[in-house]
Amino acid sequence: MTDGHGQADDGIEPDGGEATTEDPSTEMAIQTDVSESVNDSDYTREAGTLVEARDVSVYYNDDRALNDITMDIPENRVTAMIGPSGCGKSTFLRCINRMNDMIDAARVEGDLLLRGKNVYDDDVDPVALRRRVGMVFQKPNPFPKSIYDNVAYGLEIQGADGDYDEIVEESLKRAALWDEVKDQLDESGLDLSGGQQQRLCIARAIAPDPEVILMDEPASALDPVATSKIEDLIDDLAEEYTVVIVTHNMQQAARISDKTAVFLTGGELVEFDDTDKIFENPDSERVEDYITGKFG
Ligand SMILES: Nc1ncnc2c1ncn2[C@@H]1O[C@H](COP(=O)(O)OP(=O)(O)OP(=O)(O)O)[C@@H](O)[C@H]1O
């Protein structure tokens, strides 16, 4: 994000310190698991849809950042959100796991349903929700802890059951990092390369076994080789998870996503469709102009 709401390097303090919207320790605080209540279905929905936005608007104080967004995000697919800077992509992403709750000025209107349950209902615990909706940020933000502890940390503070060694190994494998780090699990996560750190953060997001993984420009701080690994990984992840990714890179959206949502100035969702359709034959002239680089 480029609008002054900060990167995680000033907020990641697993043993204390101020929480930010990009601080994974915030998401992982010990809470009673109310995931059952999130699963209760109050709504009918289209088969294959995991996340539904219904007339979602977001305001920061009096300024509207998102304008009546309605869209269905399919399960086990990669959905990309593209659009010019400031059009509300990150704001929308943060609606899905209620990270906007941490921004005092933010107010969300409308319904945001996960498996048919409005995540903004009073009986939904945002921290339990964030175990089901993991998040990976633009800049890799591992904890200043060992590789092992980076992945196990969230499990520990949640008091999660299970064999942590097994979960750590499995998460690192799913994040395509295991082979590179299996002999150095006790070494600091901060000593890894940027691309490895980002895959470590993905392993950390996977460890609690979420249903959705939100990614906010996960490769924009990485070199082309590391970016390519992350893109391959995203493709693999979609076999098990629903991935929603914000990217500034249109080629990346075209390469990795099944669906693309185009947000334009004013926080408007102008078109949402199969990625091929958006890039080859969009309905909206404004989308065509954006895709072809006429503005934005
Ligand atoms: N914490 C905040 N407080 C006040 N305004 C905010 C905050 N976060 C975002 N905004 C405003 O909301 C609008 C949408 O911002 P958002 O970061 O969601 O856009 P974006 O499309 O993700 O942008 P970028 O591509 O630059 O990251 C912008 O006008 C931005 O200035």
Side-chain angles (χ1 to χ4, degrees):
M1 286 169 282
T2 56
D3 48 29
H5 39 102
Q7 275 306 307
D9 47 353
D10 57 356
I12 303 302
E13 295 185 44
D15 299 320
E18 197 166 332
T20 73
T21 53
E22 302 194 2
D23 180 347
S25 63
T26 309
E27 310 163 40
M28 293 174 173
I30 301 165
Q31 294 279 333
T32 313
D33 190 348
V34 295
S35 50
E36 282 306 309
S37 67
V38 184
N39 273 320
D40 294 344
S41 181
D42 298 339
Y43 299 82
T44 51
R45 66 199 162 84
E46 215 180 284
T49 296
L50 184 62
V51 178
E52 293 164 74
R54 294 283 169 265
D55 300 318
V56 170
S57 294
V58 179
Y59 297 80
Y60 294 105
N61 294 316
D62 293 334
D63 296 329
R64 186 162 61 185
L66 278 181
N67 185 3
D68 270 344
I69 305 300
T70 292
M71 67 190 285
D72 289 353
I73 296 177
E75 189 163 17
N76 289 102
R77 294 283 184 277
V78 179
T79 296
M81 301 204 209
I82 62 171
S85 191
C87 65
K89 306 177 296 291
S90 300
T91 296
F92 182 74
L93 209 62
R94 292 196 302 263
C95 287
I96 301 174
N97 66 349
R98 289 184 55 172
M99 290 290 266
N100 287 324
D101 286 13
M102 291 170 203
I103 300 173
D104 286 342
R107 179 165 52 88
V108 179
E109 290 181 356
D111 292 335
L112 202 301
L113 315 177
L114 175 62
R115 288 204 191 284
K117 169 74 175 173
N118 192 347
V119 303
Y120 288 92
D121 280 352
D122 290 343
D123 59 351
V124 174
D125 173 353
V127 177
L129 170 69
R130 289 178 204 128
R131 287 205 287 273
R132 301 178 61 203
V133 186
M135 192 150 185
V136 175
F137 300 97
Q138 179 174 5
K139 190 168 168 195
N141 59 355
F143 297 130
K145 287 173 169 277
S146 70
I147 292 168
Y148 182 98
D149 286 344
N150 260 282
V151 183
Y153 177 71
L155 301 168
E156 276 163 25
I157 62 168
Q158 286 165 17
D161 291 332
D163 179 340
Y164 285 8
D165 289 355
E166 203 177 297
I167 297 173
V168 168
E169 180 175 338
E170 185 56 30
S171 302
L172 287 167
K173 280 181 176 163
R174 284 185 187 169
L177 186 60
W178 174 251
D179 288 343
E180 290 161 62
V181 302
K182 64 183 177 210
D183 298 324
Q184 56 187 86
L185 295 177
D186 293 335
E187 291 174 22
S188 173
L190 297 177
D191 291 339
L192 297 171
S193 72
Q196 288 174 322
Q197 287 189 15
Q198 193 61 306
R199 280 179 282 142
L200 180 61
C201 293
I202 291 172
R204 182 176 65 195
I206 289 171
D209 200 22
E211 291 165 75
V212 186
I213 303 175
L214 308 177
M215 297 184 163
D216 199 344
E217 300 181 48
S220 63
L222 306 179
D223 64 40
V225 174
T227 296
S228 166
K229 283 190 181 165
I230 296 285
E231 290 185 4
D232 290 346
L233 175 56
I234 289 170
D235 199 42
D236 292 344
L237 289 174
E239 285 172 22
E240 280 186 70
Y241 307 99
T242 299
V243 178
V244 187
I245 178 173
V246 168
T247 177
H248 273 119
N249 180 332
M250 282 192 265
Q251 288 78 17
Q252 183 172 71
R255 276 193 300 268
I256 65 173
S257 70
D258 302 286
K259 293 267 185 185
T260 296
V262 187
F263 290 76
L264 292 178
T265 310
E268 219 185 311
L269 173 60
V270 179
E271 196 163 341
F272 176 54
D273 212 324
D274 291 343
T275 294
D276 291 348
K277 163 97 172 108
I278 292 287
F279 283 96
E280 286 164 18
N281 184 25
D283 289 335
S284 159
E285 204 173 317
R286 292 166 68 199
V287 169
E288 177 145 20
D289 286 350
Y290 178 67
I291 301 282
T292 53
K294 286 197 186 141
F295 74 93

